[in-house]
C-alpha cells in the first residue's frame, strides 16, 4: 500500500509526475484520471479543451462527459467552452439538458464578446431541436440570433465559421 511509504504530499507529487509522463506518451485517459485524483482542475480543463474535438469526432461522447464530470460544476458553469463541450457530450443521451447547457454557453460567449464561441454554440443550438423532435419552440429565437450573428460576422472570417452559420441557418429555416 503506497500510503504507508509516502505521505499525502509526496504521493500527490508522484501522481502529478506520472500524469506528466503519460501526457508525453499521449495517454490522455490515464493522465486525466491521475489529475482527477489529485484535483488539478486546471490541467483537466486544459486536456478537455484540447482533446474534446477529437473525442467527439471519434464518437466518444461518454468519455468526454466523464472527463467533464471530474471538474466542479462551478468551474464548468463559468467557462463557456466547457459548457459547449458538455452540451455536445450530452447531445445523444440527454438532448434537453444539452440544449440548456448550449443556451448557457451561448449567453456566456455573448457576454464575453466571443464571436467564434457564439457561432459555435449557436450552430449546435439550432440542431438540438432535430434531436428532440418534439420542441421547435425556441427555433424562432435562435433564427433571430443567427440573423444578428450574420450581421457581425466579418467578411474575412474563418471559412468554417461562416459555413457553420450558413448551414445552421439553412437547417433551421427548413423546419
Amino acid at each position: 500500500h503506497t500510503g504507508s511509504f509516502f505521505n499525502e504530499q509526496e504521493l500527490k507529487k508522484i501522481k502529478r509526475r506520472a500524469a506528466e509522463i503519460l501526457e508525453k506518451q499521449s495517454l490522455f485517459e490515464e493522465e486525466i484520471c491521475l489529475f482527477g485524483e489529485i484535483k488539478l482542475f486546471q490541467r483537466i480543463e486544459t486536456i478537455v479543451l484540447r482533446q474534446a474535438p477529437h473525442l467527439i469526432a471519434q464518437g466518444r461522447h461518454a468519455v468526454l462527459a466523464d472527463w467533464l464530470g471530474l471538474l466542479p460544476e462551478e468551474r464548468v458553469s463559468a467557462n463557456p467552452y466547457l459548457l459547449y463541450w458538455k452540451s455536445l457530450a450530452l447531445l445523444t443521451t440527454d438532448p434537453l439538458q444539452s440544449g440548456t447547457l448550449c443556451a448557457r454557453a451561448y449567453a456566456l460567449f455573448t457576454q464575453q464578446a466571443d464571436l467564434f464561441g457564439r457561432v459555435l454554440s449557436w450552430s449546435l443550438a439550432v440542431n438540438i431541436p432535430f434531436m428532440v423532435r418534439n420542441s421547435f419552440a425556441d427555433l424562432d429565437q435562435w433564427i433571430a440570433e443567427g440573423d444578428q450573428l450574420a450581421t457581425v460576422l466579418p467578411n474575412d472570417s474563418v471559412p468554417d465559421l461562416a459555413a457553420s452559420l450558413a448551414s445552421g441557418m439553412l437547417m433551421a429555416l427548413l423546419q
Side-chain angles (χ1 to χ4, degrees):
H1 186 260
T2 54
S4 59
F5 294 112
F6 303 105
N7 68 38
E8 189 176 329
Q9 206 56 23
E10 290 170 326
L11 193 55
K12 190 174 182 178
K13 282 182 186 178
I14 291 167
K15 287 182 178 184
R16 181 182 183 139
R17 181 69 185 121
E20 290 166 352
I21 291 168
L22 290 167
E23 179 181 24
K24 288 182 175 130
Q25 300 300 315
S26 299
L27 297 170
F28 303 111
E29 291 182 53
E30 294 82 355
E31 172 193 16
I32 207 164
C33 287
L34 284 176
F35 283 140
E37 287 178 25
I38 58 178
K39 303 198 183 323
L40 281 176
F41 299 128
Q42 184 58 49
R43 294 297 292 267
I44 294 170
E45 281 184 27
T46 300
I47 296 164
V48 165
L49 293 173
R50 191 175 52 232
Q51 294 301 316
H54 306 292
L55 292 171
I56 293 298
Q58 296 166 359
R60 299 177 71 203
H61 295 74
V63 171
L64 180 57
D66 289 345
W67 288 9
L68 286 159
L70 295 172
L71 296 169
E73 187 54 41
E74 60 272 6
R75 282 187 85 105
V76 176
S77 294
N79 183 321
Y81 283 98
L82 292 175
L83 281 172
Y84 168 78
W85 288 115
K86 186 171 183 178
S87 174
L88 202 49
L90 296 177
L91 184 60
T92 59
T93 57
D94 191 350
L96 293 175
Q97 176 67 10
S98 176
T100 300
L101 294 171
C102 189
R104 286 178 34 210
Y106 183 84
L108 279 177
F109 283 130
T110 301
Q111 282 177 356
Q112 296 174 5
D114 183 334
L115 185 59
F116 180 81
R118 284 179 71 194
V119 172
L120 198 64
S121 57
W122 178 88
S123 297
L124 177 58
V126 296
N127 282 296
I128 290 173
F130 303 103
M131 298 290 292
V132 178
R133 282 283 187 216
N134 66 352
S135 175
F136 292 95
D138 295 336
L139 212 45
D140 287 341
Q141 171 210 342
W142 287 116
I143 290 170
E145 289 290 334
D147 283 340
Q148 194 276 330
L149 280 173
T151 65
V152 296
L153 194 65
N155 290 336
D156 63 345
S157 66
V158 178
D160 288 349
L161 202 58
S164 187
L165 184 62
S167 67
M169 188 60 87
L170 179 63
M171 288 298 294
L173 292 172
L174 288 175
Q175 289 306 311

